[in-house]
Amino acid sequence: MSYTACFVLGWEGAFCQAAGLLLSGPQEKHHKSTVCRSNKSPWVCLTCSSVHCGRYVNGHAKKHYEDAQIPMTNHKKTEKQEKVQHTVCMDCSSYSTYCYRCDDFVVNDTKLGLVQKVREHLQNLENSAFTSDRHRKRKLLENSSLNSKLLKVNGSTTALCATGLRNLGNTCFMNAILQSLSNIQQFCCYFKELPAVELRNGKTAGRRTYHTRSQGDNNVSLVEEFRKTLCALWQGSQTAFSPESLFYVVWKIMPNFRGYQQQDAHEFMRYLLDHLHLELQGGFNGVSRSVILQENSSLTASSKCCINGASTVVTAIFGGILQNEVNCLICGTESRKFDPFLDLSLDIPSQFRNKRTKNQENGPMCTLRDCLRSFTDLEELDETELYMCHKCKKKQKSTKKFWIQKLPKVLCLHLKRFHWTAYLRNKVDTYVEFPLRGLDMKCYLLEPENSGPESCLYDLAAVVVHHGSGVGSGHYTAYAAHEGRWFHFNDSTVTLTDEETVVKAKAYILFYVERQAKSGSDKL
């Protein structure tokens, strides 16, 4: 796929008519597809100015382009007709320009700057629509919308301060992870307290940056966009925040997540944490941000776990250490290796895989303890995983066992619900019981006697849930605790919920925070 400037935009005459129609035509404030009248993901053709929906709605924008490619059989095409093929369109929401012929987002413009003029025209329409709607809806926002976000807490009325995240097209996997991380207080506060990084200067200062895949990677900062997103949440905004800028940065630096198809939330979380860690190590624009970690007294040297170099807030919060112990069954030679981790991926034991609901009486219920025990129990490696014994000097049968040498401040547990069969990736829909409080990890430690009575106890902070049957389909939501209350995050919708609802969820990713103060809660 090309990342160069689009050659179609070099044909100046191809867009003069469309620009004229858009700039002098009717002032449409709300863009809808001319075919299906959908207002979701509207794209305007820069050849004829018609509006169609995106490929992940009903696909009329792409069909409009494909229909224009049908050869004209009745008469010979002129040179101009050869060029004007409805190839380039603009997103009416993000103002990004896309070329179907290049199959890529583009950043260049015509010599007369017509694309930028269209972009500014659409943005002016959006601003004027917002201004007029703001006056009309002010009373509704102050009454109906606000009242719907009020709840009773200890007899007094308080406002629901949580903010949802707009779905940009199958981006629920990203939204669920972002909302979960925003409720890991120590992690979230670190980024919110970072100083802003100015990415624009000179002629572009003060103007909106349109991120495209044609720009260089040095123009974007994942840490900065992540910081902005976290700052936008929990500010009491009654409209969902659009993580558009963050998503375009993700496209830049994580090629696996380009496009609008459904992705695995756990895979995205690992990529996100890894890239945040790498950028914090090196700083941005020559300014190292990892030094702030040293100034934070709550993140002591003993809490840091280095992964791929110097420690950052990512490894200080999520980093733990495993001891991998392998024993040769022939000569008894023991091999030990220490591996850092940011999360633990746990198998759901096979004997529980047919139990789908909490209330199902068919056999014992699977618990999080069962999954942890399966992860740490002694295991004999099969024929495909023979151990290369340095004493026997050949591959031998062996056993393997994991111990946790160091627990992290935030324990992230990933339940492996997706597995490959001969041709398909199926989902294990088993309900796994998990505790809200008092997850005791002491029995999984290598040296439990060296740990304090409270240092091994964890309380649940957030849960990511996958709804549906396959990894490439379905929907992700998240539950998270904030200031003693539980919230359900479903893209742009945020609702107050209760503990009984949370514990019934079929968890995919669990975030447990190390307990600081003593409590009389029961242990797992």
Side-chain angles (χ1 to χ4, degrees), residues 48-63:
C48 65
S49 76
S50 59
V51 178
H52 298 88
C53 61
R55 67 177 69 188
Y56 296 104
V57 182
N58 293 315
H60 289 129
K62 186 177 181 182
K63 188 175 187 303

Side-chain angles (χ1 to χ4, degrees), residues 24 126 234 316 415:
S24 62
E126 180 184 0
W234 297 105
L415 299 180

